[in-house]
Amino acid sequence: MQKNQFYLVKKDMKQNKRIAKQMIIDLWMSIIVVAVIWLVGFSLISMYPVPGYILCAGGGIYLVAAIVHYEYSERLINNEILAAGFEQSQIQKNLLKQLPVPYVLTDAEGAILWFNDSFAEMVGEKISKKNITQVFSTLYKKMFPKAGTGKQLCLSLDGRKYRVECKSVLMNFNAVEEVQGVKPEKEEPEEKDETADSQDVLLAFYFFDETQLMDYQEESKSKRMVAGLIYIDNYEEVLENMEEVRQSLLLALVERKVVRYMQSLDAIVKKFEKDKFLFVFEEQNLEKLMETKFSILDEVRMINIGNELSMTLSISVGVNAPTYVETYESARIAMDLALGRGGDQAVVRDGDSISYYGGKTQKVEKSTRVKARVKAHALREIMMTHDKIFIMGHKIPDADCIGAALGLYRLAVACDKKAYIVMDKECAAIRPIVDGLTRDKNDEEDPFIKNEEALSLRDNTSMLIVVDVNIPSMTECPELVKQVQTIVVLDHHRQGNDTIKKAVLSYVEPYASSACEMVAEILQYTVDKPKLRPIEADAMYSGILVDTDNFVVKAGVRTFEAAAYLRRVGADVTRVRKMFREDMEDYKLRAEIVNRAELLYDEFAISTFDGKDVDGATVIGAKAANALLDVQGIRGSFVVTELTQCVYISARSIDDLNVQVIMEKFGGGGHLTVAAAQLKDKSLNTVVGDLKNLLTTMKEQGDI
């Protein structure tokens, strides 16, 4: 406040100078008038002495009176202006002092210069602090607004919550006059100093107590309804292998677990189908549910009364939606995502934010083929309504990707449609297949086209089938995904947050061993019964072999049935084995990768590979990751391969380690036991360090 008074006095002095300037002008006008009178008087003396002398004497008397009046008026006006300014500052000081809103004035460093009674009452004993940052522990200097700006802060003190309006004022004469309601006169513009001295900056803090309002807001938020769904993933599969007398007991135990768990959260739970539950509860209990990481998943999985398979649940929660209907819809979308990721997990969808819990077991293979038959018929119907069919996989295609694409290409040709397989650049992993297609053309056109050609051929009659991938950015040509309106997705990888949103048909089955297995089933259910060429059957068979590591990983009953179908239509095991034999150099490189592997926690094998000048480096790295799993005690293997444009991570596990969750942290994805990620603008050592830190963190938190 002392600074304010100082600037007010300065302002009064400035006003005084203006008045004095005007008085001087008036004085000079009097002098000029007297000079004219004297000039006339002296000119009259020679002719009329008496009037001349009287006129000169009168002029002198007038000049003396003007000077005396100037001196007296100047002193009087100065005293009045100073008195008025002082009185005004005192009034303002008293008003601020008694203002019911807590108010404090500080310098640029936060040192308290002045405060009113309300602020003193608010802070109590802390009023003795010299700096406002000492009064409020959550307030720091870096939070102060810049000079000439304002900022809104939220601070708390002694259990009270305050909305704080903080204003930073750059003190200068014109600014002070505007604040006081006096419009400054136009003066010559002065050069502005961009770097204001901190001593010229004052901070004004206004405190508004909003404790009750915020408490009401938090209470309202905590009372909002949260909707959720619980599905039994493998209801039919578990019961079909149990004695009938035990089935009802198992279901009763599962239902009892679910109901008791939800009742502990004050939730209302209702069973609306034999294997589906709906529950609602208040949002304040959601934190408790997330802290336990949905322990009901493990509790149900551990129920065993003679059942060969463990029963697993999928849980979805929708939260923070504007209406109850949208909250339920959010939960339904989250359930689709949980099932698309293989089940046995919980998904919490809060707006666009999605959190995952669980997912530690392998997806149980579905014995029924009803879904495959329905999807096959739907795919054919969509194909029949389009003239051009583009088939596209992921970047750096492998045998499963190209094999599935060839199977769908043959289906499109059987439907008398013009089909293209979009592949910008082949790699060593699929070169034997491409070479085999080149040798066995049979007067057919080359099915492969480049990205640019696909974009130029696209029109309104085109459709796109995406195979072996469901993430737009990882497709061979992401621009084609944006431009084509009709899209079909066929994939066996678990879904993540970033999926193809506008697909008219999405067939994503994480339990399937490979995309080739899914395509083989589709081909069997189409009425056109396309006849595969031997090289195409070999390609699809090799895709299953690669993704199952020779029928070791994720090979179920339907996997062998698909392989049997391919054998019947012309796939030759010996020919496939010859096609994908390694040369000696690749074999040595794979052995070197295994040899340089290091162990983390004696259960994670991590190795590196410089594949910038190696053809098919990612395939070699993937095979090395598979080989590392043969070492006793290894739960997960990670091979980090450095390529020219990115760093590639191949992740593998046996059963209990979910490498998909780990790779999702790097922007990748995959399956529970097979996953990968591509990282750009990062070095090999940086990626390895990030991987070790992530594994350490997840291990300490019990996530792996």
Side-chain angles (χ1 to χ4, degrees):
M1 195 59 192
Q2 292 174 352
K3 277 195 174 184
N4 272 350
Q5 292 177 351
F6 171 76
Y7 284 120
L8 286 171
V9 172
K10 284 277 191 179
K11 185 196 74 172
D12 295 336
M13 291 175 64
K14 195 171 184 181
Q15 291 177 341
N16 192 12
K17 287 181 180 179
R18 292 198 192 97
I19 297 174
K21 189 176 182 180
Q22 185 62 44
M23 291 176 64
I24 291 174
I25 293 174
D26 294 341
L27 178 62
W28 276 104
M29 290 296 296
S30 299
I31 294 174
I32 293 173
V33 171
V34 171
V36 172
I37 292 173
W38 280 353
L39 183 62
V40 173
F42 287 137
S43 61
L44 291 176
I45 289 175
S46 58
M47 294 182 295
Y48 307 100
V50 176
Y53 285 119
I54 293 174
L55 192 60
C56 290
I61 294 171
Y62 176 74
L63 178 60
V64 172
I67 294 174
V68 172
H69 179 267
Y70 168 78
E71 291 292 339
Y72 176 76
S73 298
E74 183 183 32
R75 189 180 304 109
L76 182 62
I77 290 174
N78 283 341
N79 291 338
E80 288 294 330
I81 290 176
L82 289 175
F86 180 75
E87 183 179 357
Q88 183 184 19
S89 66
Q90 286 296 110
I91 293 173
Q92 290 181 342
K93 179 179 179 180
N94 291 332
L95 288 175
L96 286 174
K97 194 75 174 174
Q98 300 171 10
L99 188 71
V101 176
Y103 171 82
V104 62
L105 195 67
T106 74
D107 63 12
E109 302 297 323
I112 297 176
L113 301 176
W114 186 88
F115 53 86
N116 64 359
D117 296 337
S118 298
F119 181 80
E121 183 180 351
M122 180 185 76
V123 301
E125 296 179 355
K126 294 185 178 180
I127 197 64
S128 59
K129 304 293 184 181
K130 295 183 179 180
N131 197 294
I132 194 170
T133 58
Q134 297 174 335
V135 178
F136 299 92
S137 58
T138 57
L139 181 62
Y140 304 97
K141 182 181 175 182
K142 62 181 180 181
M143 298 168 62
F144 294 165
K146 296 180 180 179
T149 64
K151 196 172 185 180
Q152 190 173 101
L153 306 172
C154 292
L155 301 176
S156 59
L157 181 69
D158 297 333
R160 309 296 295 179
K161 301 169 186 175
Y162 298 93
R163 175 175 60 87
V164 183
E165 295 288 344
C166 180
K167 296 183 179 180
S168 175
V169 182
L170 182 61
M171 299 303 296
N172 56 66
F173 295 139
N174 291 336
V176 173
E177 289 171 5
E178 289 180 359
V179 170
Q180 301 300 330
V182 180
K183 187 176 180 180
E185 296 180 359
K186 291 184 179 180
E187 297 181 355
E188 292 296 327
E190 298 179 359
E191 187 177 349
K192 186 178 179 181
D193 185 8
E194 297 294 337
T195 59
D197 188 359
S198 62
Q199 296 299 322
D200 295 331
V201 176
L202 294 180
L203 298 176
F205 294 85
Y206 303 86
F207 293 82
F208 301 92
D209 191 344
E210 295 188 347
T211 305
Q212 191 173 21
L213 175 61
M214 291 184 181
D215 288 344
Y216 285 150
Q217 289 176 342
E218 291 179 4
E219 182 179 358
S220 175
K221 181 180 178 181
S222 66
K223 296 292 183 181
R224 286 187 304 185
M225 187 196 78
V226 172
L229 295 169
I230 300 177
Y231 287 5
I232 300 176
D233 296 325
N234 50 355
Y235 182 89
E236 299 289 348
E237 288 74 19
V238 173
L239 296 186
E240 71 180 8
N241 294 320
M242 289 187 66
E243 299 176 8
E244 188 173 346
V245 69
R246 292 175 181 250
Q247 292 179 1
S248 57
L249 177 59
L250 177 62
L251 293 175
L253 289 174
V254 171
E255 186 172 349
R256 183 185 178 191
K257 287 276 188 185
V258 171
V259 171
R260 283 195 172 184
Y261 187 79
M262 289 301 160
Q263 285 179 346
S264 68
L265 302 171
D266 294 330
I268 300 174
V269 58
K270 180 67 175 179
K271 184 177 182 180
F272 62 94
E273 285 188 29
K274 61 182 180 180
D275 57 348
K276 295 179 176 64
F277 300 83
L278 170 68
F279 63 91
V280 293
F281 60 92
E282 294 178 348
E283 188 174 331
Q284 61 185 349
N285 293 319
L286 179 60
E287 191 69 27
K288 185 192 304 183
L289 194 63
M290 297 170 69
E291 285 177 357
T292 61
K293 297 184 178 179
F294 293 82
S295 59
I296 184 65
L297 297 172
D298 297 326
E299 293 177 14
V300 170
R301 196 186 310 115
M302 292 173 63
I303 297 176
N304 190 331
I305 58 171
N307 45 302
E308 296 179 4
L309 297 175
S310 297
M311 190 163 279
T312 62
L313 303 179
S314 289
I315 304 175
S316 66
V317 178
V319 63
N320 205 18
T323 64
Y324 291 160
V325 174
E326 292 180 77
T327 300
Y328 173 77
E329 182 64 17
S330 179
R332 191 193 62 77
I333 294 173
M335 178 55 72
D336 292 341
L337 191 55
L339 296 175
R341 291 168 60 86
D344 186 34
Q345 58 192 283
V347 178
V348 179
R349 189 172 187 266
D350 185 354
D352 294 331
S353 174
I354 299 176
S355 304
Y356 302 100
Y357 301 86
K360 297 180 180 179
T361 61
Q362 190 67 266
K363 176 71 175 178
V364 177
E365 182 183 22
K366 300 291 184 181
S367 58
T368 177
R369 295 193 179 191
V370 175
K371 189 174 183 179
R373 185 177 68 251
V374 171
K375 297 293 185 181
H377 290 170
L379 176 60
R380 184 183 180 279
E381 291 298 321
I382 296 174
M383 281 184 168
M384 297 303 295
T385 59
H386 293 80
D387 297 332
K388 295 179 183 179
I389 300 175
F390 295 96
I391 306 165
M392 180 173 64
H394 52 76
K395 296 175 182 177
I396 315 178
D398 55 11
D400 184 39
C401 176
I402 198 66
L406 286 171
L408 293 172
Y409 172 83
R410 186 52 54 191
L411 174 60
V413 172
C415 295
D416 294 326
K417 301 296 179 180
K418 191 65 176 176
Y420 308 93
I421 298 177
V422 182
M423 185 176 67
D424 203 46
K425 184 174 66 174
E426 67 178 70
C427 60
I430 61 170
R431 187 167 296 126
I433 298 176
V434 176
D435 292 342
L437 288 169
T438 304
R439 292 192 301 269
D440 190 22
K441 272 191 175 182
N442 291 339
D443 298 328
E444 288 191 1
E445 295 182 4
D446 187 358
F448 301 103
I449 60 174
K450 303 290 186 182
N451 293 355
E452 294 78 6
E453 188 177 355
L455 292 172
S456 63
L457 290 173
R458 180 205 63 81
D459 55 28
N460 294 331
T461 64
S462 303
M463 69 171 289
L464 172 65
I465 304 177
V466 179
V467 297
D468 203 33
V469 64
N470 57 59
I471 300 175
S473 60
M474 295 183 66
T475 58
E476 182 69 58
C477 182
E479 190 63 30
L480 190 61
V481 177
K482 297 178 182 178
Q483 295 186 12
V484 176
Q485 297 301 317
T486 305
I487 300 177
V488 174
V489 178
L490 193 150
D491 188 26
H492 67 114
H493 296 99
R494 292 187 174 197
Q495 290 180 304
N497 297 346
D498 184 18
T499 59
I500 298 175
K501 306 294 183 184
K502 60 178 183 177
V504 296
L505 177 64
S506 181
Y507 186 21
V508 180
E509 290 294 353
Y511 67 80
S513 68
S514 57
C516 287
E517 175 189 327
M518 299 173 65
V519 173
E521 290 184 347
I522 288 175
L523 295 179
Q524 295 177 70
Y525 285 116
T526 52
V527 296
D528 302 280
K529 299 297 181 184
K531 181 175 176 56
L532 293 173
R533 293 160 56 192
I535 183 60
E536 294 168 344
D538 288 348
M540 294 184 65
Y541 192 88
S542 64
I544 296 177
L545 284 181
V546 169
D547 272 27
T548 60
D549 194 15
N550 293 318
F551 297 104
V552 173
V553 180
K554 291 190 64 180
V557 174
R558 292 171 65 171
T559 307
F560 289 101
E561 290 176 351
Y565 162 74
L566 294 173
R567 288 282 286 118
R568 288 195 300 271
V569 297
D572 186 273
V573 180
T574 304
R575 195 164 56 232
V576 171
R577 183 178 180 184
K578 287 182 178 179
M579 188 185 302
F580 285 93
R581 286 188 297 180
E582 288 183 282
D583 59 31
M584 184 57 69
E585 291 301 320
D586 291 348
Y587 192 86
K588 289 180 179 179
L589 287 173
R590 178 157 60 93
E592 290 177 5
I593 297 172
V594 174
N595 185 52
R596 75 166 66 96
E598 56 179 305
L599 297 182
L600 182 65
Y601 291 111
D602 293 330
E603 56 185 23
F604 306 124
I606 302 175
S607 187
T608 58
F609 176 41
D610 185 0
K612 287 183 287 188
D613 299 324
V614 179
D615 198 8
T618 56
V619 177
I620 298 173
K623 290 181 177 179
N626 286 330
L628 285 169
L629 289 180
D630 294 331
V631 179
Q632 190 172 5
I634 299 298
R635 293 178 58 211
S637 61
F638 304 87
V639 175
V640 184
T641 304
E642 186 173 18
L643 304 177
T644 304
Q645 297 180 344
C646 67
V647 176
Y648 191 89
I649 308 177
S650 296
R652 302 290 186 270
S653 68
I654 295 292
D655 53 1
D656 63 336
L657 177 65
N658 190 342
V659 292
Q660 180 210 5
V661 175
I662 299 173
M663 289 299 99
E664 282 181 341
K665 303 291 185 180
F666 291 98
H671 299 281
L672 186 141
T673 57
V674 179
Q678 298 180 25
L679 296 95
K680 295 183 178 180
D681 302 324
K682 283 195 174 184
S683 66
L684 180 68
N685 293 332
T686 301
V687 173
V688 172
D690 293 343
L691 177 61
K692 290 180 179 178
N693 292 335
L694 177 61
L695 291 174
T696 300
T697 301
M698 296 182 73
K699 179 72 174 177
E700 292 174 351
Q701 295 178 352
D703 295 331
I704 57 176

